[in-house]
Amino acid sequence: MNSILDSRPALKAAVDDVAEVAGYLWQKGWAERNGGNITVNITEHVDDAIRHMPAISEVIPIGTTLPHIKGCYFYCKGTGKRMRDMARWPMQNGSIIRILDDCASYVIIADQPVMPTSELPSHLSMHDYLISTGSKYKASVHTHPIELVAMSHNPAFLGKDVLTRILWSMIPETLAFAPLGLGVVPYALPGSVKLAEATLEQIKDYDVVLWEKHGITAVGQDVMDAFDQIDVLNKAATIYLRAKSMGFEPDGMTDEAMKEVQDVFHLPKTRPC
Ligand code: 13P
Ligand code: ZN
């Protein structure tokens, strides 16, 4: 069967990266059944032939109006599709959509009419915001990392930057590679516009956002970048929980030690250390 990826190496590489990360999410145990979703803004790879491709779905409402994504194209995981399947067959478990001129609806254009993820309102709201700021970020990843979700069940961790500080202090690399820390969104129904709106507020300050009792959503320059930030934060959460399971509260790096990392690595000082 012909694919939109045929003879388009840059677009194929972007989708192959999504498939690679989908495999990591499954291997890490963060993607039970259809858990998690990925979208990538692929508009930079779109040529005239793609622009003229007919819709293979009816017009589908997004549920919200997003003026900055008008005419943009996104690769999206399909709703109900499994990451472990997407890792092998990304175009059978995801599809490419075109945002219509009303900025409130889309059509699927390739390869098959796979209905996009139920979290599309959150993903597209973040892409819309990123475009409006001139950001180079193209990817959004939502997944269910075990340790971070476990920590989100403790209200004491959910205050502004409480979890950020604990996680940064577990291992210096967390501060270096997740320098904006972790935003928190109170529990909201999966797939809801309320969840999308709350996520959008947090993504203005953070690249990575914790959805209470649900999962993580991160944005990045590409899908690897978004995945890496979740991975380093969940590593820190795992270290915290391993220390607790050995029966002690981990010491954590001192404020001075963390400040030193911020200075030496020239990290943005947006959060208190
Ligand atoms: P989808 O299968 O619709 O992508 O949903 C998975 C999920 O994690 C919802 O939050
Ligand atoms: Zn989810």
Side-chain angles (χ1 to χ4, degrees):
M1 185 192 162
N2 289 344
S3 169
I4 191 172
L5 307 183
D6 295 343
S7 312
R8 293 191 175 97
L11 178 57
K12 183 172 186 313
V15 174
D16 284 350
D17 278 353
V18 174
E20 186 175 336
V21 166
Y24 298 155
L25 298 178
W26 164 249
Q27 286 157 18
K28 283 186 158 290
W30 299 353
E32 72 293 342
R33 198 175 183 278
N34 62 311
N37 23 77
I38 299 176
T39 60
V40 180
N41 181 348
I42 51 130
T43 313
E44 66 186 321
H45 306 304
V46 166
D47 51 35
D48 271 351
I50 293 179
R51 265 185 281 275
H52 288 103
M53 283 173 77
I56 56 169
S57 72
E58 41 187 61
V59 173
I60 305 163
I62 299 168
T64 178
T65 303
L66 301 166
H68 303 102
I69 57 171
K70 179 176 172 176
C72 288
Y73 291 76
F74 297 89
Y75 170 86
C76 310
K77 193 203 89 157
T79 186
K81 301 298 186 187
R82 294 170 171 82
M83 288 292 176
R84 63 180 189 263
D85 293 338
M86 205 165 94
R88 289 178 293 175
W89 305 296
M91 294 309 289
Q92 288 160 42
N93 294 278
S95 57
I96 290 177
I97 65 169
R98 172 193 296 137
I99 308 297
L100 300 183
D101 285 352
D102 65 1
C103 309
S105 61
Y106 66 89
V107 290
I108 304 170
I109 60 154
D111 280 346
Q112 300 172 24
V114 175
M115 194 60 192
T117 171
S118 58
E119 301 291 2
L120 201 62
S122 285
H123 283 265
L124 293 184
S125 297
M126 291 186 285
H127 287 296
D128 184 73
Y129 170 73
L130 293 168
I131 292 168
S132 79
T133 63
S135 165
K136 289 190 165 54
Y137 283 20
K138 296 282 191 286
S140 165
V141 174
H142 162 61
T143 186
H144 301 164
I146 301 161
E147 290 77 9
L148 284 170
V149 175
M151 290 185 84
S152 82
H153 284 261
N154 182 354
F157 290 145
L158 301 181
K160 188 167 169 55
D161 293 325
V162 174
L163 208 45
T164 294
R165 206 198 161 286
I166 292 171
L167 297 174
W168 275 354
S169 76
M170 288 298 105
I171 172 170
E173 276 80 353
T174 314
L175 184 51
F177 299 123
L180 300 180
L182 183 65
V184 176
V185 167
Y187 180 81
L189 185 71
S192 62
V193 170
K194 187 176 172 205
L195 180 61
E197 286 171 352
T199 305
L200 183 61
E201 278 315 300
Q202 294 296 307
I203 224 71
K204 292 176 182 171
D205 290 333
Y206 301 90
D207 284 353
V208 189
V209 175
L210 177 68
W211 287 352
E212 181 186 343
K213 302 178 184 121
H214 179 167
I216 289 282
T217 295
V219 292
Q221 293 208 12
D222 54 36
V223 68
M224 291 294 168
D225 178 32
F227 168 77
D228 279 338
Q229 292 211 52
I230 305 171
D231 196 25
V232 294
L233 286 163
N234 199 66
K235 175 69 171 278
T238 306
I239 292 167
Y240 178 85
L241 294 176
R242 293 278 166 94
K244 292 289 275 188
S245 72
M246 283 188 281
F248 64 89
E249 183 73 28
D251 233 8
M253 293 159 60
T254 62
D255 286 356
E256 294 68 41
M258 289 200 283
K259 266 184 105 21
E260 187 184 21
V261 174
Q262 282 187 323
D263 291 343
V264 172
F265 287 88
H266 306 294
L267 302 173
K269 289 196 186 67
T270 51
R271 310 269 175 272
C273 261

